[in-house]
Amino acid sequence: MTLPLDVVVQTREHDHPGGVADRAVQAEDHGFAYVSMGEATGWNVASLLSVVAERTDTVGIANDVFSPWGRSPALLAQTALTLHDLSGGRYRLGLGPSSPAITEDWHGFPFERPLRRTRETIDVIRQVFTGERLEYNGEFFQFDGGLSYDRPVPDDPPGIDLATLGPKAVEMTGRFADGWVPQLFTADGLRDRLTDLERGAELGGRDPSEIRVSPLVRCFASDDPARARESTRAMVAFLVGAYGPFYGKNVAEQGFEEAVDDIRAAWADRDTAAMAAACPDELLDAVAAYGTPADVRETVRSFLDVEGVDAVRAGFVSGMDESDKRKTMAALADI
């Protein structure tokens, strides 16, 4: 039976793409619904997913997330359709507005109107998925109907998931996407934001129950709960303080403004120990699952119990060794 769980592979912790595929096989053996992986400045995740598609049979594959500046909309559509064919229809395309650092310092584009660019990217991808000639007149993209996808298109093209945080971005997700993959939300924060998703679905004439909601929750099951707690604390603090402006803003708006200010002040000095010290237990307990296997299962269930949530996307914590990851996956497989 497929679990209401996905698992995120940390690609930077593998020395060879084959290791990523090995982790995906483990996820499949445990019954996880999807295996996903992020892309920043490391390996090209489209290539990794090709290897994963060949090495697995039943587990879904996805990415967290492609930047709308890193690839053209047409190339994103080609990539998605290729992975769809390679995997026998198991692929979901993950997109997100990205961040100023990745957009400007890696891809070399100004970070301007990210929601509009994301919306137009989705529009163009969906048009490519139809197999018709590409004709579009947007603010970022214009096509005159000269070309179309040069392969047969499937009747069931890949779903498009968005990783968004703020009210307007989540409303856009509800209007135009097939899935929502939020991160660093409390259970109550998810409930509040799901109203934005539902409003967007209503504006788009869509059924919100057909949008797959899979919040990403960092998980660390261990026989040493104190170690799991402190490792998780360090990672949550780093995500809040160092991963661009949006995660911290979102966490602050969920009632942790003082903690976010303290974490960011420590990051300004690049003091990672002080960042972790500034991350209170209340924040950690609200957004992450750590401790004994039973503790982790209980926290993950609290997210699955949120009405509108379809699955939890379990992410590992930096500093976990191979034994930690296997224990965590096994713990979640018993949920």
Side-chain angles (χ1 to χ4, degrees), residues 220-228 290-293 295-296 324 327-328:
F220 189 167
S222 175
D223 295 328
D224 184 351
R227 173 172 163 260
Y290 64 88
T292 67
D295 292 334
V296 170
D324 295 327
K327 182 179 288 292
T328 300

Side-chain angles (χ1 to χ4, degrees), residues 3 26 57 96 110 120 135 161 208 212 233 238 252 263 268 272 278 280:
L3 298 166
Q26 292 170 11
D57 299 308
E120 290 191 16
E135 188 169 0
D161 297 333
R212 188 179 193 265
R233 189 192 309 278
F238 191 78
I263 292 169
T272 54

Side-chain angles (χ1 to χ4, degrees), residues 79 84 108 125 138 177 269 279 330 332:
T79 300
H84 180 280
I125 289 170
D269 296 329
C279 182
L332 291 170

Side-chain angles (χ1 to χ4, degrees), residues 135-160:
E135 188 169 0
Y136 189 79
N137 186 26
E139 296 178 32
F140 286 96
F141 305 107
Q142 297 85 36
F143 302 95
D144 63 5
L147 295 173
S148 61
Y149 185 62
D150 190 23
R151 297 284 302 174
V153 294
D155 293 330
D156 57 340
I160 299 175

Side-chain angles (χ1 to χ4, degrees), residues 83-94:
L83 289 168
H84 180 280
D85 287 344
L86 279 171
S87 65
R90 292 182 283 135
Y91 175 65
R92 295 182 73 91
L93 172 64

Side-chain angles (χ1 to χ4, degrees), residues 17 26 39 52 70 107 129 194 208 212 222 252 274 283-284 288 327:
Q26 292 170 11
E39 180 181 81
V52 170
H107 294 301
F129 284 176
L194 278 164
R212 188 179 193 265
S222 175
L283 170 56
L284 195 63
K327 182 179 288 292

Side-chain angles (χ1 to χ4, degrees), residues 23 35 80 101 117 129 131 156 161 173 184 228 232 240 310 325:
R23 184 75 68 213
V35 59
R117 188 179 182 101
F129 284 176
D156 57 340
D161 297 333
T173 303
L184 288 180
T232 306
V240 168
D310 299 291
K325 292 174 183 177

